[in-house]
């Protein structure tokens, strides 16, 4: 949850600094793509494969943060048998 919130905050700061409007409720994946395009850090902004690979990996990590937050984070209610992340997930 903290990693996702950090990425979301950084993306919003980038967009704010560029005076670009965005939907405050937009999911973190869309915010990241919007900020990455603004900084020309999208995989499609580069021709060299090594940069495409790195930037695609960054986008995948952001998607992973969002998925972990949705399935294991504290932002959603839990039922009778909550699933909690193990300490190794934080490191």
């Amino acid at each position: 949850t903290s990693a996702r919130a950090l990425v979301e905050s950084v993306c919003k700061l980038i967009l704010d600094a560029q005076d670009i409007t965005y939907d405050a409720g937009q999911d973190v994946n869309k915010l990241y793509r919007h900020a990455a395009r603004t900084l020309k850090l999208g995989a499609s902004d580069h021709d060299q494969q090594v940069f495409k690979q790195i930037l695609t990996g960054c986008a995948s990590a952001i998607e992973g943060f969002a998925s972990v937050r949705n399935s294991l984070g504290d932002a959603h209610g839990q039922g009778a048998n909550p699933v909690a992340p193990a300490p190794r997930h934080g490191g």
Side-chain angles (χ1 to χ4, degrees):
T1 298
S2 295
R4 190 209 53 84
L6 175 63
V7 169
E8 184 176 356
S9 293
V10 169
C11 289
K12 288 179 177 181
L13 285 169
I14 290 167
L15 295 171
D16 288 342
Q18 298 295 318
D19 208 23
I20 296 172
T21 59
Y22 54 89
D23 177 6
Q26 203 170 40
D27 72 45
V28 71
N29 294 321
K30 289 180 183 175
L31 279 171
Y32 175 77
R33 285 192 299 271
H34 199 168
R37 277 193 309 269
T38 299
L39 299 174
K40 302 208 181 316
L41 290 175
S44 62
D45 294 318
H46 297 271
D47 295 328
Q48 292 182 319
Q49 183 58 32
V50 67
F51 294 117
K52 288 181 176 287
Q53 183 179 6
I54 291 167
L55 296 169
T56 298
C58 290
S60 293
I62 302 306
E63 288 178 29
F65 291 149
S67 294
V68 167
R69 180 251 184 206
N70 286 337
S71 62
L72 299 177
D74 59 3
H76 297 288
Q78 300 274 332
N81 299 311
V83 178
R88 68 182 175 86
H89 293 125

